[in-house]
Amino acid sequence: MSDDIFPARAARIGLWALPAYGVLLGLSTVTHQPPVSDFDAYARYTTTGVFLISHLAASIFGAALAILGAIAATVFLVRGRAARTAVAGLVLTTVTNVFLAATFGSAAFVQPGIGRAHLNGAGGMPAINADTAYGPAFFATALTASFFLIVSAIVLGTAIARTSRRLRAHGIAYATFVAVFTLSGFVLPSVQALAGFALAAVATALALRLPGTTRPDTPITTRRLSRARRTPLDSLPS
């Protein structure tokens, strides 16, 4: 494979990380854990395989896919009119998902142990759970990361929308469904899975259309250089 062709092909493949990310978001939120106030039910749910798999395979691996997909999209977007916005969106997406992965890791490894101890009769588990799995540091990190997840989606979605009129709806939809998914987890969990699957559909359309809008294998300065080389003498008859 030519060294010139490989980056373009790798970027096209990488774009499909975004639809996979959306699917995993939807699958990970089909069920939701009971409220902590019902600690028996909460403990039973957090000790299930569904809970662990949804956090490891969907939430944490999904965060990695979000970063990889944003990188692939930025490879295309930096060739367009919103290069700086795309890079800002990539940076925000990367940093935000790293912090989110930390919160998901806390839930995946801390909550099951507390749940098992409670179900085995150990006392004081609700208080320990409140101090660790749902302590102030956890809440501060989770809420801040959730806010910046929305911000990162808006910035990256803006870059997509500004790149081409053909992509305007895709960019708006991408930002919208990431925001809906994030906010619904706090206020309306029943629609969160639908928002994740809707994001997957939008990202699929983006993965199909974005490569035809810009070319990652063409140097970003090519068009500028070609215009700079043109002079009034070029229009004179030979």
Side-chain angles (χ1 to χ4, degrees), residues 57-237:
S59 299
I60 298 176
F61 182 60
L65 290 178
I67 294 171
L68 293 175
I71 292 172
T74 304
V75 170
F76 290 97
L77 296 173
V78 293
R79 312 298 167 178
R81 294 177 292 182
R84 292 181 180 178
T85 306
V87 172
L90 171 60
V91 171
L92 286 169
T93 299
T94 301
V95 174
T96 295
N97 277 281
V98 168
F99 276 89
L100 283 173
T103 64
F104 294 137
S106 171
F109 301 121
V110 174
Q111 290 175 247
I114 293 175
R116 284 190 295 270
H118 176 77
L119 295 175
N120 290 332
M125 289 302 105
I128 294 176
N129 185 76
D131 187 50
T132 55
Y134 285 93
F138 174 86
F139 266 114
T141 302
L143 291 176
T144 302
S146 296
F147 171 76
F148 279 103
L149 180 64
I150 297 174
V151 173
S152 67
I154 292 174
V155 175
L156 189 60
T158 299
I160 295 170
R162 289 178 56 195
T163 297
S164 168
R165 290 183 179 180
R166 296 175 58 198
L167 298 175
R168 184 170 300 171
H170 299 71
I172 295 172
Y174 175 83
T176 299
F177 285 121
V178 171
V180 170
F181 177 86
T182 305
L183 293 174
S184 62
F186 296 99
V187 298
L188 194 61
S190 60
V191 305
Q192 196 172 23
L194 295 177
F197 293 131
L199 175 62
V202 170
T204 298
L206 180 65
L208 292 171
R209 179 157 289 188
L210 183 57
T213 305
T214 57
R215 295 181 56 192
D217 54 329
T218 301
I220 192 170
T221 57
T222 297
R223 293 189 299 271
R224 296 174 184 173
L225 288 175
S226 63
R227 287 196 299 266
R229 288 170 181 168
R230 295 179 61 185
T231 67
L233 293 177
D234 294 334
S235 61
L236 295 177

Side-chain angles (χ1 to χ4, degrees), residues 31-56 103-120 125-126 129-130 132-134 138:
T31 61
H32 291 84
Q33 69 184 31
V36 181
S37 57
D38 186 358
F39 204 79
D40 287 341
Y42 168 84
R44 284 192 295 270
Y45 182 84
T46 57
T47 54
T48 62
V50 171
F51 178 85
L52 182 61
I53 292 173
S54 69
H55 281 73
L56 292 179
T103 64
F104 294 137
S106 171
F109 301 121
V110 174
Q111 290 175 247
I114 293 175
R116 284 190 295 270
H118 176 77
L119 295 175
N120 290 332
M125 289 302 105
N129 185 76
T132 55
Y134 285 93
F138 174 86

Side-chain angles (χ1 to χ4, degrees), residues 10-22 65 69 72 200 203-208 211:
R12 289 187 180 95
I13 294 173
L15 282 175
W16 291 97
L18 288 177
Y21 167 59
L65 290 178
T204 298
L206 180 65
L208 292 171

